[in-house]
Amino acid sequence: MHAVILAAGEGSRMGPHTDDVPKAFMDLGGETLYRRQRDAIDPHVDAVTVVLGYAHENVVDRIGAARPVIFEDWADYENAESLRRGTAGVDDDVLVLNGDVLVAESVIERVVDRFEAAPGRSVVAAVPGHQEGSTAVRTDDRGVVSDYGMIRGHRHAGLGVVDRSRLDEARAHLAANRNEWYPGIYTRVETEMVPIPSGGHVEINYPSDRAAARDKLPLDARDGLDLQT
């Protein structure tokens, strides 16, 4: 499995924390967010690509053994183009992780296990509930994603796996929708929603999120799942 971490954006809402580094490389409790992401995903993947754009020159030497993809015109596109470029040349199942998301290693394990149990089907992680404040997915009665966007539904967790057999189809959709958000691919290729516990997931959009994330470390994914929330 090949991981692609999307870390091209500026993270302008983070203020001074991202003055000279992408959001994924800001400090989070003594380690960068990126380092914490790698600790979670490395046991489950064979290779990693990091898509860099904003301030890439300041961090490209800090990605370790990962393959860098430099997206210099990142401000002209949405993250669909980041993922398209990040998957170029990849011929493997692709674990996609947003650069501003931290998840517990047990959450990665849950998502990968569910993916491996459903041959030919992609998966996307979501925090179950019926929220309206963040991008969300809806599913049909089989648990397959039917809609995505700023809709009432299960909160998209910034984590998924695209099956290699559908990767060309996903890339074609991304190429046709470069100014859109990449999770639209999950409505195009058959994708199962994997519910994950909120205690094992943090999305960092504002300085207050960063402070809350530090308080939650180490992430604990043991809380229960209530799909009726």
Side-chain angles (χ1 to χ4, degrees), residues 37 96-104 107-108 111 123-128 131 134-137 148 154-160 182-183 186 193-198 200-204:
Q37 290 178 318
V96 185
L97 183 63
N98 291 6
D100 59 0
V101 168
L102 179 62
V103 293
V107 168
I108 300 292
V111 171
V123 299
V124 60
V127 179
Q131 60 85 52
S134 302
T135 56
V137 296
Y148 164 82
H154 307 297
R155 183 180 180 182
H156 174 237
L159 168 67
Y182 80 84
Y186 298 127
M193 187 193 93
V194 180
I196 65 168
S198 60
H201 171 268
V202 176
E203 181 176 356
I204 302 175

Side-chain angles (χ1 to χ4, degrees), residues 14-15 30 57 66-67 91 134 163 167 177 196:
M14 294 303 301
E57 65 278 4
R67 176 184 72 139
D91 182 21
S134 302
D163 187 86
L167 193 52
N177 295 275
I196 65 168

Side-chain angles (χ1 to χ4, degrees), residues 1-4 83 87 90 92-96 160-163 167:
M1 184 173 292
H2 191 120
V4 176
L83 183 56
T87 60
V90 175
D92 201 350
D93 304 316
V94 174
L95 185 149
V96 185
V161 182
V162 180
D163 187 86
L167 193 52

Side-chain angles (χ1 to χ4, degrees), residues 37 42 47 52 70 106 111 138 149 177 183 185 188 194 198 205 209-210 216 226 229:
Q37 290 178 318
D42 281 359
L52 299 170
I70 306 302
S106 59
V111 171
R138 291 183 187 145
N177 295 275
I185 61 174
R188 304 297 176 177
V194 180
S198 60
N205 292 313
D209 298 329
R210 177 175 174 270
K216 291 178 72 172
D226 181 4
T229 301

Side-chain angles (χ1 to χ4, degrees), residues 51-90:
V51 183
L52 299 170
Y54 167 73
H56 63 84
E57 65 278 4
N58 295 333
V59 298
V60 69
D61 62 346
R62 297 165 60 186
I63 65 172
R67 176 184 72 139
V69 170
I70 306 302
F71 185 6
E72 294 189 350
D73 51 343
W74 61 271
D76 296 333
Y77 298 95
E78 273 292 353
N79 57 23
E81 179 65 359
S82 283
L83 183 56
R84 187 188 73 83
R85 297 190 190 194
T87 60
V90 175

Side-chain angles (χ1 to χ4, degrees), residues 165-219:
S165 68
R166 310 301 294 274
L167 193 52
D168 285 343
E169 185 179 351
R171 280 190 284 240
H173 175 80
L174 296 169
N177 295 275
R178 295 180 181 183
N179 292 305
E180 304 294 337
W181 292 336
Y182 80 84
I185 61 174
Y186 298 127
T187 67
R188 304 297 176 177
V189 302
E190 186 170 348
T191 301
E192 178 180 345
M193 187 193 93
V194 180
I196 65 168
S198 60
H201 171 268
V202 176
E203 181 176 356
I204 302 175
N205 292 313
Y206 298 96
S208 59
D209 298 329
R210 177 175 174 270
R214 289 201 315 268
D215 291 343
K216 291 178 72 172
L217 294 173
L219 290 187

